[in-house]
Amino acid sequence: MDDRAKRAALQHHWDASDVNDFEAVHDIYRDDAVLDYPQSGERIQGRRNIQESRFVQPSRKRFAVRRIIGSGDLWVTELVLTYDGVPSYVVSVMEFRDGGVAHETQYFGDRFDPAPSRAHLVERINSA
């Protein structure tokens, strides 16, 4: 799988995530894939377990990809994941092996206001 195919697979993955297509979302993962959530200390092993973990979440989710960067076997997606109308800023790091994602780590961050001490140094960007 070349870089163009990996980028297309990632875009398909996030597009399917946004419409809750639980079959298509998980096509990208190898059967033995591992998903880590460092902030909660969770590790989910196996594509079917990853799929079930997402299926049982009661939240209504929307995914807005800001950018996808990478090459070779390492790809990073920066996105806004909205749970029940509340945005969370996410970085997904995916490692490919033999044409599928073998390992993904997702990092989450909440929106916060800029520090007043540096307000004169920054410009506001659209964070959604």
Side-chain angles (χ1 to χ4, degrees):
M1 177 181 273
D2 66 11
D3 284 357
R4 189 174 318 161
K6 287 175 184 168
R7 181 179 296 280
L10 286 163
Q11 190 62 59
H12 177 73
H13 168 77
W14 297 116
D15 289 345
S17 296
D18 191 47
V19 297
N20 291 317
D21 182 342
F22 289 107
E23 285 302 318
V25 167
H26 298 90
D27 289 344
I28 200 168
Y29 295 104
R30 293 170 43 91
D31 287 341
D32 61 349
V34 174
L35 172 60
D36 287 332
Y37 295 110
Q39 289 157 301
S40 64
E42 296 171 280
R43 170 171 280 174
I44 302 169
Q45 297 190 27
R47 180 175 62 205
R48 290 292 162 208
N49 289 336
I50 294 168
Q51 183 176 14
E52 185 176 348
S53 75
R54 291 175 173 157
F55 182 75
V56 298
Q57 292 176 350
S59 304
R60 183 176 182 284
K61 297 176 283 296
R62 296 302 310 258
F63 296 76
V65 172
R66 296 183 70 181
R67 68 180 174 153
I68 298 172
I69 58 174
S71 66
D73 291 335
L74 185 61
W75 289 80
V76 176
T77 304
E78 185 180 330
L79 62 133
V80 179
L81 172 54
T82 303
Y83 283 100
D84 296 327
V86 178
S88 186
Y89 301 88
V90 180
V91 173
S92 166
V93 179
M94 290 188 176
E95 300 170 55
F96 282 80
R97 187 173 68 238
D98 300 326
V101 171
H103 188 242
E104 179 181 17
T105 304
Q106 289 189 355
Y107 299 93
F108 294 80
D110 294 329
R111 185 194 174 285
F112 58 88
D113 291 325
S117 61
R118 67 174 184 244
H120 66 287
L121 302 171
V122 303
E123 61 183 86
R124 296 300 300 252
I125 59 172
N126 181 4
S127 58

